[in-house]
Amino acid sequence: MKFFADTAVISEIRELADTGLLDGVTTNPSLIKKAGRDFIETVREIATITTGPISAEVVALDHDGMMREAEVLRKIADNIAIKVPLTVDGLKTCKALASDGTMVNVTLCFSAAQALIAAKAGASFISPFVGRLDDVGFNGMDLIADIRMIYDNYDFPTEILVASVRHPMHIVEAAKIGADVATAPTKILMQLFNHPQTDNGIAAFLKDWEATGQAIG
């Protein structure tokens, strides 16, 4: 499974890159606003840190507007994936960009039917929002399982990019189902390291080592 950082904070992206966990980055207008920086400048700097896909989202709602914005965004770097909403105009844009060899991340997916038509439009990635489904009483992981089955039935190359990740178990469950990518805030990705027994084991080893009075080097 690939891990994408769902953030626009450069220091966090660098930290994840140093751990070896970073396979790509997803951004959106809300994350850019939170980072408090210029959108184009931020995406350009992210492209100096990772060669993996970087999702940059259009804000236009009509096809022509999306295409104009996509033309600007995909010139930033070769690894830009244009992020479009799962609407009629969004999928028109997806089809046009995919036909031209541009990576496309279709976002705001909440049903298997939406995932199916995004794949038919040539999406590189489909972003189902599992946390937001959980919020309204649905099991987000059921959607991931349904999409995995449909894509496997027809050999769609579209990668399942699990989004709206709220905790580490979302990532683990998605990996068990066979999702291709999980995008999550830095805090959640770093929580994958954590287990109290690991901490207890380190403390015990250090205590025993100190009792020997020895030193390494």
Side-chain angles (χ1 to χ4, degrees):
M1 172 182 262
K2 289 177 278 191
F3 292 160
F4 288 2
D6 195 31
T7 182
V9 178
I10 298 299
S11 61
E12 294 181 359
I13 295 169
R14 291 190 187 281
E15 180 183 12
L16 284 169
D18 289 342
T19 68
L21 291 181
L22 188 70
D23 296 301
V25 176
T26 55
T27 68
N28 60 47
S30 297
L31 291 173
I32 295 293
K33 179 183 178 182
K34 184 178 179 181
R37 295 187 54 190
D38 177 76
F39 177 38
I40 300 296
E41 175 189 312
T42 301
V43 175
R44 184 175 289 118
E45 187 168 358
I46 293 171
T48 69
I49 302 171
T50 180
T51 57
I54 302 169
S55 290
E57 189 164 349
V58 298
V59 294
L61 298 179
D62 64 290
H63 171 63
D64 290 341
M66 289 180 191
M67 290 299 294
R68 285 193 298 270
E69 292 175 2
E71 189 60 28
V72 174
L73 296 175
R74 64 181 177 174
K75 288 180 179 178
I76 297 174
D78 292 339
N79 55 330
I80 298 298
I82 304 301
K83 199 172 183 182
V84 300
L86 215 159
T87 62
V88 172
D89 283 84
L91 292 191
K92 284 182 182 178
T93 303
C94 175
K95 179 66 174 178
L97 293 173
S99 297
D100 197 27
T102 299
M103 288 188 293
V104 182
N105 177 358
V106 177
T107 190
L108 293 170
C109 173
F110 293 96
S111 76
Q114 289 179 319
L116 174 59
I117 59 176
K120 288 182 67 64
S124 305
F125 303 97
I126 184 67
S127 290
F129 279 40
V130 295
R132 294 196 194 182
L133 281 172
D134 289 351
D135 290 344
V136 293
F138 292 88
N139 186 336
M141 286 302 138
D142 287 346
L143 174 58
I144 304 304
D146 286 346
I147 297 172
R148 182 75 278 160
M149 180 186 296
I150 291 169
Y151 284 8
D152 289 348
N153 282 348
Y154 297 98
D155 293 324
F156 284 123
T158 302
E159 296 188 46
I160 302 171
L161 196 167
V162 180
S164 187
V165 168
R166 301 288 173 78
H167 48 73
M169 287 310 298
H170 270 156
I171 298 175
V172 172
E173 291 300 320
K176 289 164 67 176
I177 293 168
D180 303 285
V181 188
T183 186
T186 306
K187 177 181 178 180
I188 292 174
L189 290 175
M190 296 304 290
Q191 286 173 353
L192 294 170
F193 286 96
N194 297 342
H195 196 286
Q197 289 296 77
T198 301
D199 297 337
N200 292 340
I202 291 172
F205 293 156
L206 287 176
K207 182 179 179 180
D208 291 342
W209 178 252
E210 289 170 358
T212 69
Q214 301 180 55
I216 298 176

